[in-house]
Amino acid sequence: MQQDRKIRYITAFLFLIMAAIVLFAANICIGSVKISLGDILRNLLGEKIDQTTERILWDIRLPRTLAALILGGALALAGYLLQSFFHNPIAGPFVLGISSGAKMIVALVMVFLMGRSIKVTSMALIFAAFLGAMISMGFVLLMSRKINNMAMLVVSGVMIGYICSAITELVVTFADDADIVNLHNWSRGSFSGMTWDHVAVMTGVIAAAFAVVFLMAKPLSAYQLGDAYAQNMGINIRLFRTELVILSSILSACIVAYAGPISFVGLAAPHIVKSMLGTTMPILMIPACFLGGGVFCLFCDLLARNLLAPTEISISTVTAIFGAPVVIWIMIKRNREKIF
Amino acid sequence: MEYYFFTEKMSVGYQKHSLIENIEIRLEKGQILTLIGPNGAGKTTVLKSIARQIALTGGVVYLDQHNAANLSGAEFSQKMAVVLTERMHTEMMTCEDVTATGRYPYTGHFGILTEDDRRVVREAMELVHVTDIKDQDFTRVSDGQRQRVMLARAICQEPEIIVLDEPTSFLDVKYKLEFLSVLQQMRKERGLTVIMSLHELELAERVSDKILCINGKYVDRFGSPEEIFEDGYISKLFRISSGSYNEKNGNMELEAVKGNAEVFVIAGGGTGRNVYRRLQRQGIAFDAGILFRNDLDYPVAKALASCCVEAESFEPITDTLLETAKKRVDICRKVICCKESFGTLESANRELLEYAKKENKEIEIILPKRFG
């Protein structure tokens, strides 16, 4: 039994890593301009290739693909943390309105600063998004105190999401600056327009958050049995819950600041990897979620860019197509378990 | 003797609002304390307060000479384990996984189990007989099995004291007895101190060294089972208004049928109990007699009969008593006799039966079925 489990874990991780490598390569190669693997390898080894191809490779494809991988991972991790926090399998940054809250504050800050021709830095965007995420989170927490019902909590989260989105739309509509065109794309969710600066900052922030989450694997495992038992095992529940809230908000904020709100990844990815692993042990789930989210986003971004090329579909459209059925599947499965 | 666990003016409640005040508990190491009291009396609140799940509203709890509130989470978790009633929604965790969470206070930073930890888990699961379901999903096993897995989990924690909230509720009689036997075994082998709440009074009386009676506002009594289970006390504590509870033997009887007796039952030596209960079920009021006070039938008759003609134990039945019994027979239209033969000291009962025959009362003989 112990041995069988180990084999299953290793297989799952190997699969995720392989999928990440293959999709990473595919994302770089495939596009309106095709780049062959050979060209990429030769360029990496220092040989000269076609100038335009090189520019596309280094300035557009690589940062975008890296961003999709890292942000996807962060999104899945944020979803996993929120699901653990609420003991609710359909919690996630998008569903609970946290992404939309972050989006709203970011849009307000951008419009305000751009209107005064002040350059917006990456860190400022993340900070704004974090603020927005915390506002939404605070509201959801307030609601979760009043209502002790999973479904109602999600509904209230969705409502907050709509309110925040409406405000964002308003702001975007009335700001007719040329730069706002970008803002419009961003507010629907997209990995386009990533620069190396962006990638560097997001890698730093997300790597730090990931490390902290990984160190929390043990209390997370105790928390699975519920507050009372976790407390009996010596966990400071109040502190632990605060840490969870802040970490999931930082992760959500990072994603929104760079790629806008992306739906369903935070929901679907953790559940898919959970089924692959056949366990909920956090020490395995944390890295697996990150990989799974990355793979999911690489796959969806590949489709978003190429399906209706040269038109780009918004990333949320693709993630919804693949993510929503997973959510339905979760609900059916849970319902069946209750009957047993 | 130093107490291992004791409280000083402990007050418990929610949001600074005290429900029960001035609780004084004194327990030596290895003693079993049981909390009893009616539903909603605050047993769970007291247990949760002891387990630091909710803050005390006053007073101090001392554990092994330390103020429990000053112990760190890690120290406390190595001393006290809990088994609670709340339902858990685990996901993809086998019973073994759940049991292994009990090792939490002893594992390293990443919570990886060592070979030693696995041995403790295995032994705990064997002790409560859940080894055969160790690979099954925790959500798919029965309530009773789940309860035993949670006990195994608590045992894994190698606590000095264990707090259990109604641990036997979901268990059948076999596992109830087994569950309590495991606690007694742990107490004997490891000096485990136990604090729990039980609904089964007869079990509480048998297993406990000390009993704490809570009635919703205050601690009514704290003492040994002999002190607690005195006549009439349980009925008072639980405010029993229909039916009765016999503190001497743990018998519960439903409410006696009111009205004038229609039937007189002659019995003794345990032959009449089932007849009394059948009459109660059929709604027929009856008198019983002549019973010695130490007879097996006596407590049941006392609880169910309109009138019980009772004789002093180990003494011959007096003529005056026989006359009283005859008067009761006169009122009844029917006599049921549950005896085949009468012993020397109860010859008065034979006379009573003869009298009934002479008075042309309807006679029915119901003899207890003999097996084998």
Side-chain angles (χ1 to χ4, degrees):
Chain A
M1 186 67 190
Q2 215 66 38
Q3 207 61 34
D4 290 356
R5 275 187 170 192
K6 256 184 203 151
I7 293 169
R8 184 166 181 182
Y9 301 156
I10 293 170
T11 318
F13 270 100
L14 280 180
F15 173 81
L16 285 171
I17 292 169
M18 288 302 294
I21 293 171
V22 170
L23 283 166
F24 194 89
N27 265 288
I28 296 175
C29 294
I30 303 168
S32 49
V33 174
K34 300 237 179 320
I35 310 175
S36 74
L37 264 180
D39 278 352
I40 298 168
L41 287 177
R42 253 178 286 136
N43 189 243
L44 282 177
L45 292 171
E47 266 182 59
K48 279 265 167 245
I49 53 166
D50 177 55
Q51 188 105 50
T52 337
T53 316
E54 195 175 354
R55 285 279 303 282
I56 292 175
L57 174 62
W58 285 98
D59 294 350
I60 300 175
R61 295 274 170 86
L62 262 177
R64 179 172 182 153
T65 309
L66 273 170
L69 179 71
I70 294 167
L71 294 180
L75 202 46
L77 200 57
Y80 173 69
L81 291 182
L82 289 169
Q83 285 150 26
S84 304
F85 182 88
F86 289 106
H87 297 295
N88 182 342
I90 45 174
F94 194 81
V95 179
L96 294 178
I98 295 166
S99 296
S100 307
K103 178 174 84 168
M104 177 180 76
I105 302 293
V106 169
L108 285 172
V109 168
M110 271 165 94
V111 167
F112 181 81
L113 292 181
M114 281 171 176
R116 281 156 189 74
S117 311
I118 303 168
K119 200 176 173 315
V120 192
T121 64
S122 271
M123 278 318 268
L125 276 188
I126 294 184
F127 190 77
F130 179 71
L131 199 72
M134 288 299 275
I135 291 172
S136 281
M137 190 74 188
F139 193 81
V140 172
L141 285 176
L142 220 66
M143 293 301 285
S144 74
R145 280 193 164 193
K146 298 263 181 254
I147 44 178
N148 200 7
N149 177 324
M150 265 171 32
M152 286 312 291
L153 186 68
V154 171
V155 171
S156 70
V158 170
M159 293 305 131
I160 301 163
Y162 274 117
I163 296 169
C164 293
S165 290
I167 296 173
T168 314
E169 287 296 316
L170 232 99
V171 172
V172 172
T173 312
F174 282 103
D176 53 0
D177 200 284
D179 285 327
I180 303 296
V181 180
N182 261 337
L183 194 60
H184 185 68
N185 263 338
W186 163 86
S187 76
R188 288 165 54 225
S190 165
F191 286 118
S192 65
M194 293 292 168
T195 67
W196 282 105
D197 279 352
H198 293 163
V199 174
V201 177
M202 76 174 76
T203 308
V205 175
I206 291 173
F210 180 86
V212 178
V213 173
F214 195 72
L215 290 175
M216 283 167 71
K218 192 183 171 188
L220 265 170
S221 73
Y223 195 65
Q224 287 180 323
L225 294 190
D227 289 9
Y229 285 106
Q231 186 160 31
N232 179 241
M233 286 181 254
I235 295 169
N236 183 339
I237 291 287
R238 196 180 286 257
L239 183 70
F240 177 74
R241 287 173 70 110
T242 313
E243 285 169 351
L244 276 188
V245 167
I246 292 175
L247 279 169
S248 55
S249 297
I250 290 177
L251 288 168
S252 308
C254 230
I255 302 141
V256 173
Y258 290 112
I262 298 173
S263 59
F264 289 105
V265 182
L267 274 182
H271 285 281
I272 295 170
V273 300
K274 200 186 292 168
S275 308
M276 283 170 65
L277 288 171
T279 180
T280 49
M281 262 159 64
I283 199 149
L284 294 172
M285 276 300 282
I286 292 166
C289 268
F290 194 86
L291 273 172
V295 167
F296 194 86
C297 275
L298 284 175
F299 175 71
C300 290
D301 196 38
L302 188 66
L303 292 184
R305 284 191 302 126
N306 296 299
L307 217 54
L308 297 178
T311 317
E312 198 178 309
I313 318 168
S314 102
I315 183 79
S316 279
T317 311
V318 186
T319 52
I321 289 170
F322 290 97
V326 175
V327 177
I328 294 171
W329 166 61
I330 294 165
M331 294 203 283
I332 292 172
K333 208 177 78 175
R334 277 186 72 83
N335 208 28
R336 203 180 329 146
E337 271 169 10
K338 264 183 207 146
I339 291 164
F340 271 117
Chain B
M1 181 69 200
E2 281 190 331
Y3 293 110
Y4 174 74
F5 176 95
F6 67 100
T7 61
E8 258 176 26
K9 295 194 174 3
M10 176 171 81
S11 297
V12 303
Y14 290 95
Q15 272 105 41
K16 308 249 156 97
H17 176 75
S18 287
L19 278 172
I20 305 172
E21 291 180 333
N22 293 329
I23 305 169
E24 300 274 337
I25 301 174
R26 306 264 177 280
L27 279 185
E28 290 162 19
K29 197 166 174 55
Q31 283 192 319
I32 296 179
L33 167 72
T34 306
L35 273 57
I36 62 169
N39 285 337
K43 299 187 291 288
T44 301
T45 313
V46 173
L47 291 176
K48 278 188 171 172
S49 306
I50 289 172
R52 300 209 309 194
Q53 303 277 344
I54 47 179
L56 297 181
T57 51
V60 189
V61 171
Y62 289 97
L63 186 59
D64 198 13
Q65 317 307 324
H66 300 284
N67 180 342
N70 294 340
L71 291 171
S72 76
E75 286 170 328
F76 191 75
S77 66
Q78 296 193 3
K79 283 190 186 298
M80 184 185 285
V82 295
V83 175
L84 304 166
T85 44
E86 59 192 67
R87 283 195 89 94
M88 289 183 307
H89 302 284
T90 60
E91 237 187 318
M92 290 186 188
M93 287 178 88
T94 64
C95 291
E96 190 178 18
D97 290 339
V98 172
T99 309
T101 59
R103 295 306 295 163
Y104 185 93
Y106 302 95
T107 53
H109 197 91
F110 287 105
I112 313 268
L113 297 175
T114 63
E115 210 30 64
D116 221 32
D117 291 320
R118 293 201 180 282
R119 182 182 50 77
V120 176
V121 172
R122 213 163 40 235
E123 284 170 3
M125 294 191 89
E126 273 162 23
L127 195 64
V128 297
H129 307 289
V130 288
T131 313
D132 54 327
I133 55 162
K134 74 182 169 80
D135 291 328
Q136 283 184 36
D137 195 295
F138 186 69
T139 53
R140 300 281 175 98
V141 300
S142 73
D143 286 329
Q145 289 171 325
R146 209 168 296 155
Q147 195 69 22
R148 281 183 285 139
V149 170
M150 290 317 288
L151 179 64
R153 195 201 77 87
I155 291 171
C156 269
Q157 216 171 319
E158 298 185 324
E160 295 171 10
I161 181 166
I162 186 168
V163 172
L164 310 110
D165 194 5
E166 286 168 23
T168 53
S169 320
F170 291 115
L171 302 178
D172 66 25
V173 59
K174 168 188 152 81
Y175 286 121
K176 266 191 210 310
L177 293 172
E178 212 172 86
F179 195 97
L180 297 179
S181 304
V182 169
L183 291 183
Q184 282 194 329
Q185 190 185 337
M186 298 274 299
R187 168 264 275 285
K188 206 159 75 188
E189 287 170 8
R190 309 185 192 180
L192 181 75
T193 308
V194 178
I195 300 180
M196 64 180 160
S197 60
L198 282 182
H199 270 308
E200 299 87 348
L201 297 173
E202 67 285 5
L203 291 178
E205 188 183 5
R206 282 158 182 70
V207 79
S208 319
D209 296 302
K210 291 276 189 261
I211 290 179
L212 186 77
C213 305
I214 305 175
N215 70 357
K217 293 184 205 77
Y218 50 89
V219 169
D220 202 43
R221 280 189 186 189
F222 173 71
S224 63
E226 300 79 46
E227 294 170 278
I228 304 296
F229 282 83
E230 65 178 38
D231 285 354
Y233 179 66
I234 295 299
S235 306
K236 205 183 95 206
L237 177 67
F238 284 85
R239 297 184 209 98
I240 294 175
S241 53
S242 53
S244 63
Y245 184 88
N246 187 308
E247 285 81 2
K248 278 204 186 63
N249 55 18
N251 251 350
M252 275 175 283
E253 299 298 341
L254 294 170
E255 203 170 357
V257 179
K258 292 193 178 67
N260 290 329
E262 296 174 46
V263 180
F264 191 97
V265 183
I266 300 172
T271 56
R273 286 177 298 183
N274 292 328
V275 175
Y276 302 152
R277 287 178 187 144
R278 197 167 72 201
L279 289 168
Q280 191 274 342
R281 286 198 294 276
Q282 290 167 347
I284 300 169
F286 66 93
D287 285 343
I290 304 170
L291 290 171
F292 294 107
R293 291 212 175 92
N294 64 350
D295 197 283
L296 272 174
D297 286 333
Y298 175 72
V300 186
K302 206 59 187 149
L304 295 181
S306 313
C307 169
C308 177
V309 184
E310 48 189 273
E312 206 58 56
S313 313
F314 306 112
E315 295 285 346
I317 297 166
T318 59
D319 287 343
T320 21
L321 204 58
L322 180 58
E323 285 312 309
T324 321
K326 281 179 178 168
K327 272 180 201 135
R328 303 303 308 181
V329 170
D330 286 341
I331 308 165
C332 298
R333 72 174 161 80
K334 180 180 173 182
V335 171
I336 296 177
C337 178
C338 306
K339 303 218 58 158
E340 209 172 2
S341 58
F342 297 92
T344 324
L345 274 182
E346 51 165 359
S347 55
N349 272 333
R350 183 188 299 128
E351 255 177 77
L352 192 61
L353 183 62
E354 294 303 325
Y355 173 77
K357 280 178 184 162
K358 203 179 78 205
E359 293 290 307
N360 279 330
K361 295 287 176 188
E362 186 189 333
I363 308 280
E364 190 183 352
I365 311 281
I366 303 175
L367 298 177
K369 289 200 176 66
R370 292 213 181 86
F371 296 97

